[in-house]
Amino acid sequence: MAGMKTVLAVDDDPDIIEFVKSVLSKHYRVVTGFSGKECLDLVGTTQPDVILLDVIMMHLGDGLDCLRTLKQNPATKDIPVIMMTSVSEVYDYRSQIEESFFPHDRWLDKPVKADVLLKNVREVLGE
């Protein structure tokens, strides 16, 4: 694990977390969390190279609130964040989110295919 880049995956669905770990753990150190609060707690201790963040977790804006907090903090603002959601068919967050207010690096609709997840993580990391 030494020398591997770290991915912090945060989602309240344990199945998504297991999927992300199974896809990415061959290439990256994967640390997981289940809420926006846990994400913010883990960022300081894990120093992730990229964050995969679910939009809706414990409450409607959990992921978006977390994203805003990360991007407003000088210590974490430059960590790339890939937002993930499964509710785009019900409510298209992408058309409602002002990018300057919620600055994210990528947006993935769940369920995401393994190759698409890996490709996006690699691209965001410049690999």
Side-chain angles (χ1 to χ4, degrees):
M1 289 276 185
M4 293 179 91
K5 291 186 178 179
T6 300
V7 175
L8 174 55
V10 183
D11 197 303
D12 61 346
D13 183 338
D15 292 334
I16 297 294
I17 291 296
E18 286 306 311
F19 168 74
V20 168
K21 285 180 6 184
S22 72
V23 172
L24 299 180
S25 63
K26 297 172 189 106
H27 310 279
Y28 305 100
R29 175 178 166 243
V30 179
V31 178
T32 60
F34 296 94
S35 70
K37 181 188 179 321
E38 200 170 356
C39 177
L40 296 173
D41 292 343
L42 287 167
V43 164
T45 59
T46 63
Q47 300 176 332
D49 296 288
V50 63
I51 299 169
L52 297 174
L53 184 59
D54 187 19
V55 172
I56 298 176
M57 288 179 278
M58 297 300 184
H59 65 277
L60 187 62
D62 199 21
L64 295 176
D65 291 340
C66 180
L67 173 66
R68 187 172 44 242
T69 300
L70 288 166
K71 293 303 183 178
Q72 289 175 346
N73 182 338
T76 57
K77 70 180 180 66
D78 294 326
I79 300 171
V81 178
I82 299 174
M83 299 300 293
M84 300 190 310
T85 189
S86 59
V87 297
S88 62
E89 290 182 20
V90 176
Y91 183 84
D92 185 4
Y93 278 94
R94 287 176 290 194
S95 68
Q96 303 299 317
I97 294 175
E98 173 60 41
E99 244 183 270
S100 62
F101 191 61
F102 292 110
H104 57 282
D105 296 272
R106 296 283 167 100
W107 192 280
L108 297 176
D109 291 323
K110 295 187 287 185
V112 61
K113 293 182 179 181
D115 60 328
V116 171
L117 176 63
L118 183 58
K119 176 182 178 276
N120 276 274
V121 169
R122 284 183 169 158
E123 287 177 358
V124 167
L125 291 173
E127 299 178 339

